[in-house]
Amino acid sequence: MNRTALFPGSFDPFTLGHKIVVDQGLELFERIVIAVGVNTEKRGLLTPENRARLIRDLYRNDSRIEVVIYNELTGKVCRQLGIDTILRGLRNTVDFEYERNIMQVNQTLFPEIKTVLLFTPARYVAISSSVIRELVTFGGDPTPLMPENIDIKNYL
Ligand code: ADP
């Protein structure tokens, strides 16, 4: 049985939607390693270090969660950590097509790695890091879209 899953993403920043994926994932896996990717294509709001710090603060009292920063292929990180399951969240068909493409490439390069996709509950479908970045940039309050007790100002 796979006891640990890797949950990779940009997490710029980590949202309530991401937290739901982790919450659901913890019902399937004993441990989740949240891997903050240094994405070259996406414009950053938070530095990778601050993205990781936010997530570590959130799960400070939960020993089932570990946070790492990475700058290479997700499959390689899995192999380095001895993890063979990637966990990702699914909001809509756009996510689905994107996830399927990544999964197929991973299947070719890292055949032992499996991908588990978790559908998000309807009320979290509209939550995304990009909406939060937009709100922060133009002076809106992103708090309702963030995990409880997280103030984005501490990580900007
Ligand atoms: P990436 O740049 O790798 O897509 P993100 O940080 O945007 O990284 O997302 C990481 C994962 O979380 C992806 O699988 C994405 O589909 C999922 N995700 C993002 N927002 C939500 C949400 N509101 N509900 C469920 N899954 C989500």
Side-chain angles (χ1 to χ4, degrees), residues 19-99:
K19 181 170 180 294
I20 296 307
V21 175
V22 172
D23 287 350
Q24 293 182 339
L26 284 172
E27 294 181 29
L28 299 172
F29 300 98
E30 288 182 351
R31 289 177 62 244
I32 294 177
V33 177
I34 301 174
V36 177
V38 181
N39 192 327
T40 44
E41 281 178 26
K42 288 192 185 175
R43 188 176 57 91
L45 176 70
L46 271 50
T47 63
E49 290 72 22
N50 280 342
R51 293 179 220 167
R53 184 164 61 86
L54 184 158
I55 305 168
R56 287 195 184 106
D57 286 348
L58 187 60
Y59 292 106
R60 189 182 294 131
N61 298 318
D62 193 335
S63 58
R64 298 170 298 175
I65 303 294
E66 192 186 326
V67 183
V68 299
I69 297 176
Y70 75 106
N71 193 4
E72 58 190 323
L73 290 178
T74 305
K76 282 194 183 173
V77 180
C78 283
R79 282 190 178 167
Q80 280 161 15
L81 299 175
I83 296 173
D84 66 4
T85 306
I86 292 175
L87 175 65
R88 296 275 290 178
L90 211 56
R91 286 165 291 192
N92 48 42
T93 54
V94 178
D95 277 354
F96 173 78
E97 295 293 343
Y98 180 70
E99 296 300 334

Side-chain angles (χ1 to χ4, degrees), residues 7-22 24 35 37 39 42 51 70 74 86-92 94-96 98-99 102 116-130 133 145:
F7 181 31
S10 308
F11 305 119
D12 184 29
F14 193 89
T15 71
L16 199 48
H18 294 134
K19 181 170 180 294
I20 296 307
V21 175
V22 172
Q24 293 182 339
N39 192 327
K42 288 192 185 175
R51 293 179 220 167
Y70 75 106
T74 305
I86 292 175
L87 175 65
R88 296 275 290 178
L90 211 56
R91 286 165 291 192
N92 48 42
V94 178
D95 277 354
F96 173 78
Y98 180 70
E99 296 300 334
I102 300 177
V116 171
L117 298 178
L118 291 178
F119 283 99
T120 198
R123 59 183 289 238
Y124 301 105
V125 163
I127 299 178
S128 67
S129 297
S130 57
R133 291 199 296 273
L145 310 183

Side-chain angles (χ1 to χ4, degrees), residues 2 84-87 103 110-116:
N2 301 307
D84 66 4
T85 306
I86 292 175
L87 175 65
M103 181 275 292
F110 309 97
E112 81 280 13
I113 296 176
K114 295 161 289 289
T115 302
V116 171

